[in-house]
Amino acid sequence: MFYKIIFSLFNKFPPLKQFFWKFWYTKLANNIKNPDLKFMNYGYHSDDDHLILDSEFEKERYPIQLYHHVISDTKLSGLKVLEVGSGRGGGCNFINKYLNIKKIK
């Protein structure tokens, strides 16, 4: 019941939704000190995605699949890449290891 009220408020007042998620994301990013948390996205799942990952990356499969889905049609091999994200470096690590790039910052 409570979530229905919240979602109806978010639908009626989009700035409230934006404020809430920005507040929540910032609070989460600043207060979770766990070094194992390398991604801060919701992730992506598709039955058509058959990405093969090393065991060190398997626990982060869904956030990695989001990166893979977004950049899979872009040829990055041999290029210098600037990854602008608000996470904790997991995306940079994935791109660097799996996409045969020249350099990443």
Side-chain angles (χ1 to χ4, degrees), residues 9-74:
L9 284 171
F10 285 170
N11 287 332
K12 289 179 183 174
F13 305 103
L16 178 64
K17 180 179 178 181
Q18 183 180 5
F19 170 80
F20 172 79
W21 285 115
K22 184 175 182 178
F23 172 81
W24 177 247
Y25 183 90
T26 302
K27 187 150 184 73
L28 182 67
N30 290 334
N31 291 315
I32 294 183
K33 306 298 183 201
N34 185 343
D36 292 333
L37 180 64
K38 294 180 177 60
F39 290 87
M40 292 186 69
N41 66 48
Y42 290 109
Y44 175 78
H45 171 74
S46 170
D47 291 332
D48 297 331
D49 198 343
H50 303 290
L51 184 62
I52 298 171
L53 299 171
D54 293 345
S55 60
E56 70 176 291
F57 288 93
E58 188 60 45
K59 65 183 177 183
E60 303 284 358
R61 169 163 290 280
Y62 296 114
I64 286 172
Q65 284 182 176
L66 179 59
Y67 268 83
H68 184 258
H69 175 72
V70 170
I71 62 177
S72 62
D73 290 337
T74 305

